[in-house]
Amino acid sequence: MKALAARRHDRRAPVVLLLLALLLTGGLYAVLAPTSAKAESSVASADDVKAGEKLFQANCATCHGPSAAGTASAPSLIGVGAAAVDFQVGTGRMPMQMNGPQAQVKPAQFDDEQISQLAAFVASLGAGPAIPTDDQVDPSKGDPATGMALFRTNCAMCHNAVGAGGALSRGKFAPNLWETSPRHLYEAMLTGPQSMPVFNDANITSEEKRDIIAFIDEQGNVSPGGLDLGSIGPVSEGLWAWVVGLGLLIGAAVWIGAKSS
Amino acid sequence: MTTTSTPTPTARAAAATADYLDQRTGIGVAVKTFARKIFPDHWSFLLGEIALYSFVTLLISGVFLTMFFVPSMAETTYHGPWASLNGVEMSQAFSSTLRLSFEVRGGLLMRQVHHWAALIFMASIVTHMMRVFFTGAFRKPRELNWVVGFTLMILGLLAGFSGYSLPDDVLSGNGLRITDGVVKAIPIIGSYMSYFIFGGEFPGNDLIPRLFTVHILLVPALILALIGLHLLFVVLHKHTQYPGSGRSDKNVVGFPLFPIYVAKAGGYFFVVFGVIALMAATMTINPVWNYGPYDPSPVSAGAQPDWYMLFLEGSLRLMPGQAEVMLGQYTLSLNVIIPAMIVPGVLFTLLAAYPFIEAFATGDNREHHVLDRPRNRPFRTAFGVSLLVAFFILVLAGSNDLIATHFHLSINDITWVFRFLLFLGPWAAFVITKRICLGLQRKDRELVLHGHETGRIVRFASGEYIEVHKPLDAHERWLRVQHDAVRPVEIEPAEDSRGVRRKGYRTDRLRQRISQVFYEDRVEPVTPSELEAAHHAHGGHDEIGSHDHGHEPAQVGGGQHLVEPDGETGPDARNH
Ligand code: HEM
């Protein structure tokens, strides 16, 4: 079991590679990685936890406290689980650097191994949601139509109909989801980062989460009607109608008018 | 009619047909007079034509769409090429829209042509209206045509709204839901009205077929009829023209309708159609497959109406929710009534009634065929700009979430800023625009009296320096002095010579008050005597005071200017 888990961790290539691999090898991939989520959380090595603790003390303890029990400036991490850490650190939100309405996304500060060590450490503090398996987040196995229906009722009010992003109160916002990796999508639902609600498995089952991932995966790839103008709806269409449409037409009118005199 | 020396067979056939028609309908006379009608030439006169041609485009593409669209709210299950909707329950209206988009050849292009044409139609109507407003083209005898035009704009809004609601996607359903809310907010009869419109509780099963009738029959027929009336008025009144030498209220300087204007206008149709087709071919509009079929529960971020309805959305978004009051056991939803009925009501009433208000304040019932330069009517220009600013702020408020995400601002702050701006913005715009207009008028006076600066400095033997000014030529001067000096109206006293109260005095008082608001601040055009005086003063470099605030020059009454351009620049020279 140990060897298997270690191999899995090693194979956890950068996000982009993963996506590419998914696209290229499709079904083959599923056969190679049939591990379940349960296996994951229970088998972090003691070394990983140790290394993770070191990293934590150096980078996170100032805010989250030396025992990760939280301080006045940051919440406790006991029980948030490996998924929360993998998401927060993997998307570059943590360690937080700038004060603002919400933790900003920036280039990830740690490599994959360090992230998994940090995750192992936080997971060792208390039971919490684990990092999903590749199978759980494989868009090719989800049904985008069910995903669309679920997304519309659970997510679109914040993230826009196709996940292009939207505004929340006081400068907070729900980000665009098109560049988010399937794993981070899953983890975001599972852990509910910052102002986003948590969608645990009782709410949206693991398969349904994969359907949602399949739906998001479809976005931003094909745009049957031409340029998508940001997919933010009628406001950008109106803007373009004035700028391009009326702009060109008035230009032509001035040209025709000028021709006479 | 047929005087060609060697007619080709086609020409002969054409001539014979024309002759046949002429002998039976007498159409030749009409065609001849019409073809000889003179049209003045200016790019801004083409704005109305953009509206006309985009409407034609709407008709053509709309006919195509009706062949495939199914106006029914009956449930069906979608099976088609768009994976993320496969197997989803939806109305036939929505599924036929998807079929149009993905399965009918050219269907998506036609849908996009139709929608882009609608946006451009409304945009051109608004710019056309601005042109008419700022140049004073609505003055007698064209007030009625302004009202016809205004009705066309309202019908355009109605056409856009009813069309937007047809595909039965989430966005269109959201729009209808808001409409339902607004209707229900009407005191007493609101809920009955809503049941009446939707055929039961919202959304019901009747609405789409009803909207379909409105959208493809009722509104287009009305628009078509009113466009006919509108253009008939334009022909009857003749087109207005911009001021310039040789142009007066009694002539029209321009090109005959045929062949020059027809060629230009006909060519312009293809420009308009081409631009719309280009946009439709390259830019997505209303991707309903992203929004999914309507279902009352979900509302997505970025749910907005098309731009011409956005001001209503903004008005609703700005209104604080606390305005709802309870009267006994009844709720009076002022939080909806004010933004959704009173605000647009005020904006639209002011617009529709403006020509009449201005005529009342000016006390003017002459005919006008020469347009105003906007600077010469500071009140009107400033008023128009402030209405536009109010409209624009509401549009921005309707997009507050997008402003928040794109500029990383807090949506709450933006909303508060707009709440204040809605009152301060139009006021500031009014003051500033009026200042600018008065300033430009003063500059015109300067130019007329002193001429252009040449930068050439001359020193006299006495040691005095002057800059040489080049006098304006007749055209330039005429443009700057031709307009009327409009002053606040003078009224007769309240009592006649025998001390009896005069009938109509109260109306006159009101007129006087409004008139003062309109015309108190003004700069008078240069009068001939002033010009004379300036010419006598050496070189014309002295400061000659401009006459603000009621300083009356010797000449009384507007509309007389003696500085006519000389013969060389008369109408004939330009009217070829
Ligand atoms: C369906 C929408 C409309 C169409 C197709 C249309 C079309 C036209 C056309 C082709 C002209 C002559 C050329 C020009 O001056 O631009 C014209 C003139 C005019 N329009 Fe419109 N128009 C529309 C809406 C409006 C609106 C909303 C108003 C104002 C409330 C308006 C007021 C006028 C007036 C007063 C004239 C006479 C202008 C003059 O003689 O200088 N129209 N219209």
Side-chain angles (χ1 to χ4, degrees), chain A residues 184-253:
Chain A
H184 289 152
L185 270 165
Y186 193 100
E187 289 166 350
M189 290 186 256
L190 202 57
T191 63
Q194 282 77 341
S195 358
M196 176 167 152
V198 173
F199 297 91
N200 59 29
D201 286 350
N203 241 325
I204 294 182
T205 65
S206 180
E207 285 77 51
E208 288 173 337
K209 289 197 177 80
R210 189 164 60 188
D211 295 339
I212 292 181
I213 294 172
F215 169 69
I216 295 293
D217 191 55
E218 293 235 316
Q219 307 307 319
N221 300 333
V222 270
S223 173
L227 304 173
D228 67 13
L229 311 182
S231 290
I232 51 172
V235 173
S236 74
E237 293 160 4
L239 191 65
W240 287 102
W242 276 92
V243 173
V244 176
L246 227 62
L248 283 176
L249 289 176
I250 291 182

Coordinates of all heavy atoms in Angstrom, one line a residue, chain A residues 184-253:
Chain A
H184 N -8.9 20.7 -8.8 CA -9.2 21.8 -8.0 C -10.7 22.1 -8.0 O -11.3 22.6 -7.0 CB -8.4 23.0 -8.5 CG -6.9 22.9 -8.1 ND1 -5.9 23.5 -8.9 CD2 -6.3 22.3 -7.1 CE1 -4.8 23.2 -8.3 NE2 -5.0 22.5 -7.3
L185 N -11.3 21.8 -9.1 CA -12.8 22.0 -9.2 C -13.5 21.2 -8.1 O -14.3 21.6 -7.4 CB -13.3 21.6 -10.6 CG -13.3 22.6 -11.7 CD1 -13.5 22.0 -13.0 CD2 -14.5 23.6 -11.4
Y186 N -13.0 19.9 -8.1 CA -13.6 19.0 -7.2 C -13.4 19.4 -5.8 O -14.3 19.5 -4.9 CB -13.0 17.6 -7.4 CG -13.7 16.5 -6.7 CD1 -14.6 15.7 -7.4 CD2 -13.5 16.2 -5.4 CE1 -15.3 14.6 -6.8 CE2 -14.2 15.2 -4.7 CZ -15.0 14.4 -5.4 OH -15.7 13.4 -4.8
E187 N -12.1 19.8 -5.5 CA -11.8 20.2 -4.1 C -12.5 21.5 -3.7 O -12.9 21.6 -2.5 CB -10.3 20.4 -4.0 CG -9.5 19.1 -4.1 CD -8.0 19.3 -4.3 OE1 -7.6 20.4 -4.6 OE2 -7.3 18.3 -4.2
A188 N -12.7 22.4 -4.7 CA -13.4 23.6 -4.3 C -14.8 23.3 -3.9 O -15.3 23.8 -2.9 CB -13.4 24.6 -5.5
M189 N -15.5 22.4 -4.6 CA -16.8 22.0 -4.2 C -16.8 21.4 -2.8 O -17.7 21.6 -1.9 CB -17.4 21.0 -5.2 CG -17.8 21.7 -6.5 SD -18.6 20.6 -7.6 CE -17.3 20.1 -8.7
L190 N -15.8 20.5 -2.6 CA -15.8 19.7 -1.4 C -15.5 20.6 -0.2 O -16.0 20.3 0.9 CB -14.7 18.7 -1.6 CG -14.7 17.4 -0.7 CD1 -16.0 16.7 -0.9 CD2 -13.5 16.5 -1.1
T191 N -14.6 21.6 -0.3 CA -14.2 22.4 0.8 C -14.8 23.8 0.9 O -14.6 24.4 2.0 CB -12.7 22.5 0.9 OG1 -12.3 23.2 -0.3 CG2 -12.0 21.1 0.8
G192 N -15.4 24.3 -0.1 CA -16.0 25.6 -0.1 C -15.0 26.7 0.3 O -15.1 27.2 1.5
P193 N -14.1 27.0 -0.5 CA -13.1 28.1 -0.2 C -13.7 29.4 0.1 O -14.6 29.8 -0.6 CB -12.2 28.2 -1.4 CG -13.0 27.7 -2.5 CD -13.9 26.7 -2.0
Q194 N -13.2 30.1 1.2 CA -13.7 31.4 1.5 C -15.2 31.6 1.5 O -15.9 30.9 2.1 CB -12.9 32.5 0.7 CG -11.5 32.7 1.2 CD -10.5 31.6 0.8 OE1 -10.9 30.5 0.4 NE2 -9.2 31.8 0.9
S195 N -15.7 32.5 0.6 CA -17.1 32.8 0.7 C -18.0 31.7 -0.1 O -19.2 31.9 -0.2 CB -17.5 34.2 0.2 OG -16.3 34.8 -0.2
M196 N -17.3 30.7 -0.6 CA -18.1 29.8 -1.4 C -18.7 28.7 -0.4 O -18.0 28.3 0.5 CB -17.2 29.1 -2.4 CG -17.9 28.0 -3.2 SD -16.9 27.5 -4.6 CE -17.4 25.8 -4.8
P197 N -19.9 28.3 -0.6 CA -20.5 27.3 0.3 C -19.8 25.9 0.0 O -19.2 25.7 -1.0 CB -22.0 27.2 -0.1 CG -22.1 27.9 -1.4 CD -20.9 28.8 -1.6
V198 N -19.9 25.1 1.0 CA -19.4 23.7 0.9 C -20.5 22.8 0.2 O -21.6 22.9 0.6 CB -19.1 23.1 2.3 CG1 -18.7 21.6 2.2 CG2 -18.0 23.9 3.0
F199 N -20.0 22.0 -0.7 CA -21.0 21.1 -1.3 C -20.4 19.7 -1.0 O -19.6 19.1 -1.8 CB -21.1 21.3 -2.8 CG -21.6 22.6 -3.2 CD1 -20.8 23.7 -3.5 CD2 -23.0 22.8 -3.4 CE1 -21.3 24.9 -3.8 CE2 -23.5 24.0 -3.7 CZ -22.7 25.1 -3.9
N200 N -20.8 19.1 0.2 CA -20.3 17.8 0.5 C -21.0 16.7 -0.2 O -21.9 17.0 -1.0 CB -20.4 17.6 2.1 CG -21.8 17.7 2.5 OD1 -22.7 17.4 1.8 ND2 -22.0 18.2 3.7
D201 N -20.6 15.5 0.0 CA -21.1 14.4 -0.8 C -22.6 14.2 -0.6 O -23.3 13.5 -1.4 CB -20.3 13.1 -0.6 CG -19.0 13.2 -1.3 OD1 -18.8 14.2 -2.1 OD2 -18.1 12.4 -1.1
A202 N -23.1 14.6 0.5 CA -24.6 14.5 0.7 C -25.3 15.4 -0.1 O -26.5 15.2 -0.5 CB -24.9 14.7 2.2
N203 N -24.7 16.6 -0.4 CA -25.3 17.6 -1.2 C -25.3 17.3 -2.7 O -26.3 17.3 -3.4 CB -24.5 18.9 -1.0 CG -25.3 20.0 -0.4 OD1 -26.4 20.1 -0.7 ND2 -24.7 20.8 0.5
I204 N -24.1 17.1 -3.1 CA -23.8 16.8 -4.5 C -22.9 15.6 -4.5 O -21.8 15.7 -4.0 CB -23.1 17.9 -5.2 CG1 -24.0 19.1 -5.3 CG2 -22.6 17.5 -6.6 CD1 -23.4 20.3 -6.1
T205 N -23.3 14.4 -4.9 CA -22.6 13.2 -4.8 C -21.3 13.3 -5.6 O -21.1 14.2 -6.5 CB -23.3 12.0 -5.3 OG1 -23.5 12.1 -6.7 CG2 -24.7 11.8 -4.6
S206 N -20.4 12.4 -5.3 CA -19.1 12.3 -6.0 C -19.3 12.2 -7.5 O -18.6 12.9 -8.3 CB -18.3 11.1 -5.5 OG -17.1 11.1 -6.1
E207 N -20.3 11.4 -8.0 CA -20.5 11.3 -9.4 C -21.0 12.6 -10.0 O -20.7 13.0 -11.1 CB -21.5 10.2 -9.7 CG -21.0 8.8 -9.6 CD -20.9 8.3 -8.1 OE1 -21.9 8.5 -7.4 OE2 -19.8 7.9 -7.7
E208 N -21.9 13.2 -9.2 CA -22.5 14.5 -9.7 C -21.4 15.6 -9.9 O -21.4 16.4 -10.8 CB -23.6 15.0 -8.8 CG -24.8 14.1 -8.9 CD -25.9 14.4 -7.9 OE1 -25.6 15.0 -6.8 OE2 -27.1 14.1 -8.2
K209 N -20.4 15.5 -8.9 CA -19.3 16.5 -9.0 C -18.6 16.3 -10.3 O -18.2 17.2 -11.0 CB -18.4 16.3 -7.8 CG -19.0 16.8 -6.5 CD -17.9 17.0 -5.5 CE -18.4 17.6 -4.2 NZ -19.0 16.5 -3.3
R210 N -18.4 15.0 -10.7 CA -17.7 14.7 -11.9 C -18.5 15.2 -13.1 O -18.0 15.6 -14.1 CB -17.5 13.2 -12.0 CG -16.5 12.8 -13.1 CD -16.0 11.4 -13.0 NE -17.1 10.4 -13.0 CZ -16.9 9.2 -12.7 NH1 -15.7 8.7 -12.4 NH2 -17.9 8.3 -12.7
D211 N -19.9 15.1 -13.0 CA -20.7 15.6 -14.1 C -20.5 17.1 -14.3 O -20.4 17.6 -15.4 CB -22.2 15.3 -13.8 CG -22.5 13.8 -13.8 OD1 -21.7 13.1 -14.4 OD2 -23.5 13.5 -13.2
I212 N -20.4 17.8 -13.1 CA -20.2 19.2 -13.2 C -18.8 19.5 -13.8 O -18.7 20.4 -14.7 CB -20.2 19.8 -11.8 CG1 -21.7 19.8 -11.2 CG2 -19.8 21.3 -11.8 CD1 -21.9 20.4 -9.8
I213 N -17.8 18.7 -13.4 CA -16.5 18.9 -14.0 C -16.6 18.7 -15.6 O -16.0 19.5 -16.3 CB -15.5 18.0 -13.4 CG1 -15.3 18.4 -11.9 CG2 -14.2 18.0 -14.1 CD1 -14.5 17.4 -11.1
A214 N -17.4 17.7 -16.0 CA -17.5 17.4 -17.4 C -18.2 18.6 -18.1 O -17.8 19.0 -19.2 CB -18.3 16.2 -17.6
F215 N -19.1 19.3 -17.4 CA -19.8 20.4 -18.0 C -18.8 21.6 -18.2 O -18.8 22.2 -19.2 CB -21.0 20.8 -17.1 CG -21.6 22.1 -17.5 CD1 -22.3 22.3 -18.7 CD2 -21.5 23.2 -16.7 CE1 -22.8 23.5 -19.0 CE2 -22.0 24.5 -17.0 CZ -22.7 24.6 -18.2
I216 N -18.1 21.9 -17.1 CA -17.1 23.0 -17.2 C -16.1 22.7 -18.2 O -15.7 23.6 -19.0 CB -16.4 23.2 -15.8 CG1 -17.4 23.6 -14.7 CG2 -15.3 24.2 -15.9 CD1 -18.0 25.0 -15.0
D217 N -15.7 21.4 -18.3 CA -14.7 21.1 -19.3 C -15.1 21.4 -20.7 O -14.3 21.7 -21.6 CB -14.4 19.6 -19.2 CG -13.2 19.2 -20.0 OD1 -12.1 19.8 -19.7 OD2 -13.3 18.3 -20.9
E218 N -16.4 21.4 -21.0 CA -16.9 21.7 -22.3 C -16.9 23.2 -22.6 O -16.9 23.6 -23.8 CB -18.4 21.3 -22.4 CG -18.6 19.8 -22.3 CD -19.4 19.3 -23.5 OE1 -20.4 20.0 -23.9 OE2 -19.0 18.3 -24.1
Q219 N -16.8 24.0 -21.6 CA -16.9 25.4 -21.8 C -15.6 26.0 -22.3 O -14.5 25.5 -22.0 CB -17.3 26.2 -20.5 CG -18.6 25.7 -19.9 CD -19.7 25.6 -20.9 OE1 -19.9 26.5 -21.7 NE2 -20.5 24.5 -20.8
G220 N -15.7 27.1 -23.1 CA -14.5 27.7 -23.5 C -13.8 27.0 -24.6 O -12.8 27.5 -25.2
N221 N -14.2 25.8 -24.9 CA -13.6 25.0 -26.0 C -14.2 25.4 -27.4 O -13.6 25.9 -28.3 CB -13.7 23.5 -25.8 CG -13.0 23.1 -24.6 OD1 -12.1 23.8 -24.1 ND2 -13.4 22.0 -24.0
V222 N -15.5 25.1 -27.4 CA -16.2 25.4 -28.7 C -17.2 26.6 -28.5 O -17.8 26.7 -27.5 CB -17.1 24.2 -29.1 CG1 -16.3 23.3 -30.0 CG2 -17.7 23.5 -28.0
S223 N -17.2 27.4 -29.4 CA -18.1 28.5 -29.4 C -18.8 28.6 -30.8 O -18.2 29.1 -31.7 CB -17.4 29.8 -29.1 OG -18.2 30.9 -29.2
P224 N -19.9 27.9 -30.9 CA -20.5 27.7 -32.3 C -20.8 29.1 -33.0 O -20.7 29.1 -34.2 CB -21.8 27.0 -32.0 CG -21.8 26.6 -30.6 CD -20.8 27.4 -29.9
G225 N -21.0 30.1 -32.2 CA -21.5 31.4 -32.9 C -20.3 32.3 -33.3 O -20.6 33.4 -33.7
G226 N -19.1 31.9 -33.1 CA -18.0 32.9 -33.4 C -17.4 33.3 -32.0 O -17.4 32.6 -31.0
L227 N -16.7 34.5 -32.0 CA -16.1 35.0 -30.8 C -17.1 35.0 -29.7 O -18.2 35.4 -29.9 CB -15.6 36.4 -31.1 CG -14.6 36.6 -32.2 CD1 -14.3 38.0 -32.5 CD2 -13.3 35.8 -32.0
D228 N -16.7 34.6 -28.5 CA -17.6 34.5 -27.4 C -17.8 35.7 -26.6 O -18.7 35.8 -25.8 CB -17.3 33.3 -26.5 CG -16.0 33.5 -25.7 OD1 -15.5 34.6 -25.7 OD2 -15.5 32.5 -25.1
L229 N -17.0 36.8 -26.9 CA -17.2 38.1 -26.3 C -17.1 38.0 -24.7 O -17.8 38.7 -24.0 CB -18.5 38.8 -26.7 CG -18.8 38.9 -28.2 CD1 -20.0 39.6 -28.4 CD2 -17.6 39.5 -28.9
G230 N -16.4 37.0 -24.2 CA -16.2 36.9 -22.8 C -17.3 36.1 -22.1 O -17.3 35.8 -20.9
S231 N -18.3 35.6 -22.9 CA -19.4 34.9 -22.3 C -20.1 35.5 -21.1 O -20.5 34.9 -20.2 CB -19.0 33.4 -21.9 OG -18.7 32.7 -23.1
I232 N -20.1 36.8 -21.1 CA -20.6 37.5 -19.9 C -22.0 38.1 -20.2 O -22.5 38.9 -19.4 CB -19.7 38.5 -19.3 CG1 -19.3 39.5 -20.4 CG2 -18.5 37.9 -18.6 CD1 -18.5 40.7 -19.8
G233 N -22.6 37.7 -21.3 CA -24.0 38.0 -21.5 C -24.3 39.3 -22.3 O -23.3 39.9 -22.9
P234 N -25.5 39.8 -22.2 CA -25.9 40.9 -23.1 C -25.2 42.2 -22.9 O -25.2 43.0 -23.9 CB -27.4 41.1 -22.7 CG -27.8 39.8 -22.0 CD -26.6 39.3 -21.4
V235 N -24.5 42.5 -21.8 CA -23.9 43.7 -21.7 C -22.7 43.9 -22.6 O -22.6 44.9 -23.3 CB -23.4 44.0 -20.2 CG1 -22.5 45.2 -20.1 CG2 -24.5 44.1 -19.3
S236 N -21.9 42.8 -22.7 CA -20.8 42.9 -23.7 C -21.4 42.9 -25.1 O -20.8 43.6 -26.0 CB -19.8 41.8 -23.5 OG -20.3 40.6 -23.9
E237 N -22.5 42.2 -25.4 CA -23.0 42.3 -26.7 C -23.5 43.7 -27.1 O -23.2 44.2 -28.2 CB -24.2 41.3 -26.8 CG -23.9 39.9 -26.7 CD -25.1 39.0 -26.3 OE1 -26.2 39.5 -26.2 OE2 -24.9 37.8 -26.1
G238 N -24.1 44.3 -26.1 CA -24.5 45.7 -26.3 C -23.3 46.6 -26.6 O -23.4 47.5 -27.5
L239 N -22.3 46.4 -25.8 CA -21.1 47.3 -26.0 C -20.5 47.1 -27.4 O -20.2 48.1 -28.1 CB -20.1 46.8 -25.0 CG -18.9 47.7 -24.8 CD1 -19.3 49.1 -24.3 CD2 -17.9 47.1 -23.9
W240 N -20.5 45.8 -27.9 CA -19.9 45.6 -29.2 C -20.9 46.1 -30.3 O -20.4 46.6 -31.3 CB -19.7 44.1 -29.4 CG -18.5 43.6 -28.6 CD1 -18.5 42.9 -27.4 CD2 -17.1 43.9 -28.9 NE1 -17.2 42.8 -27.0 CE2 -16.3 43.3 -27.9 CE3 -16.5 44.5 -30.0 CZ2 -14.9 43.4 -27.9 CZ3 -15.1 44.6 -30.0 CH2 -14.3 44.0 -28.9
A241 N -22.2 46.0 -30.0 CA -23.1 46.5 -31.0 C -22.8 48.0 -31.3 O -22.8 48.5 -32.4 CB -24.5 46.3 -30.6
W242 N -22.6 48.8 -30.2 CA -22.3 50.2 -30.3 C -21.0 50.4 -30.9 O -20.8 51.2 -31.8 CB -22.4 50.9 -28.9 CG -23.8 51.2 -28.6 CD1 -24.7 50.5 -27.9 CD2 -24.5 52.4 -28.9 NE1 -25.9 51.1 -27.7 CE2 -25.8 52.3 -28.4 CE3 -24.2 53.6 -29.7 CZ2 -26.8 53.3 -28.5 CZ3 -25.2 54.6 -29.8 CH2 -26.4 54.4 -29.2
V243 N -19.9 49.8 -30.3 CA -18.6 50.1 -30.8 C -18.3 49.6 -32.2 O -17.9 50.4 -33.1 CB -17.6 49.5 -29.8 CG1 -16.2 49.7 -30.3 CG2 -17.7 50.1 -28.4
V244 N -18.6 48.4 -32.5 CA -18.3 47.8 -33.8 C -19.4 48.2 -34.8 O -19.1 48.9 -35.8 CB -18.1 46.3 -33.8 CG1 -17.9 45.8 -35.2 CG2 -16.9 45.9 -32.9
G245 N -20.6 47.8 -34.4 CA -21.7 48.0 -35.4 C -22.0 49.5 -35.7 O -21.7 49.9 -36.8
L246 N -22.3 50.3 -34.7 CA -22.6 51.7 -34.9 C -21.4 52.4 -35.3 O -21.5 53.4 -36.1 CB -23.3 52.3 -33.7 CG -24.6 53.1 -34.2 CD1 -25.6 52.1 -34.9 CD2 -25.2 53.8 -33.1
G247 N -20.3 52.0 -34.8 CA -19.0 52.7 -35.1 C -18.8 52.6 -36.6 O -18.5 53.6 -37.3
L248 N -18.8 51.3 -37.2 CA -18.6 51.2 -38.6 C -19.6 51.9 -39.4 O -19.3 52.5 -40.4 CB -18.6 49.7 -38.9 CG -17.4 48.8 -38.6 CD1 -17.7 47.4 -38.9 CD2 -16.2 49.3 -39.3
L249 N -20.9 51.8 -39.0 CA -22.0 52.4 -39.8 C -21.9 53.9 -39.8 O -22.0 54.5 -40.9 CB -23.3 52.0 -39.3 CG -23.6 50.5 -39.5 CD1 -24.9 50.1 -38.9 CD2 -23.6 50.2 -41.0
I250 N -21.5 54.5 -38.7 CA -21.4 56.0 -38.7 C -20.2 56.4 -39.5 O -20.2 57.3 -40.3 CB -21.4 56.5 -37.3 CG1 -22.7 56.4 -36.6 CG2 -21.0 58.0 -37.3 CD1 -22.9 56.9 -35.3
G251 N -19.1 55.6 -39.4 CA -17.9 55.8 -40.2 C -18.3 55.8 -41.7 O -17.9 56.7 -42.4
A252 N -19.1 54.8 -42.1 CA -19.5 54.7 -43.5 C -20.3 55.9 -43.9 O -20.2 56.5 -45.0 CB -20.2 53.4 -43.7
A253 N -21.2 56.4 -42.9 CA -22.1 57.5 -43.2 C -21.3 58.8 -43.4 O -21.5 59.5 -44.4 CB -23.1 57.7 -42.1

